[in-house]
Amino acid sequence: MKMRACRYFPGVRWWPLRQNIAVVGTWEDLWHNVIARTVPAVKDVAAIFKSEYDDVAYSLRGTAGELSRAEREGGSIVDGAAGSRAGAGVSGPQLRVMSTAPNHDLNSFLAKYAYHDDEGWTGGDSTYVRRLPGDRHVIMFSDTFLGRLAADGSRVPETPFVSNSFVVVDRDGQARTLLSRTLDDQARAVLPPQADRFHWLGGSHVTGRDTLDVMYLRFTGDSRVLDTGGDFDAARLRTALIPGGAGELEMHGNLLARFDARDLSLLDVTPMPSETGVHWASWVEHDAVGDHTYVYGVHDEGAEKFMHIARVPGDDLRQPWEFSDGQGGWSAREADSAPVMSGVANEYSVARLSDRHFLLVTQDTAVPYSPDIVGYLSESPAGPFRSPALLHRATESGPAGFYRDPETVVYNAHEQPDLRRGNELTITYNLNSSVQNVLDVSSKYRPNAVRVRVRVEVT
């Protein structure tokens, strides 16, 4: 049996699971039998095995059948996004999906790191990856479980919990969880809570000054949370296990946290524009061609979510912002910020795809917790974004999904441009379920990644 190298983190090696395995029946039958007939200790490993084993079984009810049909017919997957979408039906450049498959390397890396005994990361959401100086990477998460997993993949109710964390992957493939510490050496979030307010992270970029600039959202949450021990994040988890009560979130501002990209020490935290209620943390991207940094946000109205865009000249987000008026113009007043389009998720990505096109990747939010991940094209980082195409249909959620769990959902899909290889994208999406479910089955709160090969065709 030969080890194979991880494509993204060169120092990491995996033992493939392909040898000496007899596969009978359909892939769907195989994986349902694996889950149904194995002892609990293997069930979490089965989720890893599903990802690492093959290039087709990623889809229990997704795009695998369409891919097989397209390959037989010598074509490609072409699907319009569901619902009434901005720019649908417009002629011109079209995004074509040539193939989609699990990203074995990244999925296996995250799954196996969750079982390390360093008391660090065992699961999280948001999932933003940036390349650091020295060929290192940082994977940034919002709500994060720490500690150790049991042999059956479960977590204890007292498991440590923080509202944001970093996992740093060194050039040699070694990974470690980065957190802040109290004066008595207690682990806290990278950007820890202040009084009754906690922080979720969002888009980021590495500047020419060797800083990692990360946008954060400051929230208060469940009104039942009463922190008497100095650990507000832990109190949030304890309270979430109690049925009932008010769990609504209230945002209290957008923040910019700057870290030294060499050692990830926190340099400073600066309040950012926050007058309109837009969450300015969906994505951050510096476009070298125009030498502007774009900040992408969302105005979350519950059933509908609207994209907003701001920008600064150069790569320093502490400079005065300009806000898109939705019609191609820019204003210095945040109050003039207007929706660019609807149907995006709270987290999405916008990055240059070619000399002429930018790619928007988002969950299709026309249907709540839709498994569909869609891509749009634009000739400008500020839109308009047109010609939606189905990039991937996630297969873990709902009663027909991999877990056969109606409470399991997928959300906040976006690309990781720093892991792009030519026309092959790496797209991540988050998994979640009820609090008790993610304690019982840790893989229900761990991101998944897929590889999607695309090309642009002009019609």
Side-chain angles (χ1 to χ4, degrees), residues 253-275:
N254 300 286
L255 303 173
L256 172 67
R258 298 193 315 129
F259 300 85
D260 187 320
R262 294 162 294 189
D263 61 9
L264 294 180
S265 57
L266 180 62
L267 300 175
D268 51 50
V269 179
T270 306
M272 291 286 107
S274 303
E275 297 175 1

Side-chain angles (χ1 to χ4, degrees), residues 303-364:
E304 284 194 283
K305 303 176 192 294
F306 297 90
M307 172 192 284
H308 286 249
I309 304 176
R311 70 179 186 180
V312 298
D315 66 357
D316 190 345
L317 294 181
R318 296 170 299 174
Q319 299 300 310
W321 288 20
E322 295 180 312
F323 302 89
S324 171
D325 63 7
Q327 303 297 322
W330 298 91
S331 171
R333 299 176 63 249
E334 186 184 6
D336 293 332
S337 179
V340 174
M341 64 179 286
S342 63
V344 295
N346 290 77
E347 298 174 7
Y348 54 87
S349 61
V350 178
R352 183 177 287 276
L353 183 64
S354 66
D355 290 342
R356 296 185 57 189
H357 299 106
F358 291 82
L359 174 66
L360 161 66
V361 176
T362 183
Q363 206 102 4
D364 177 11

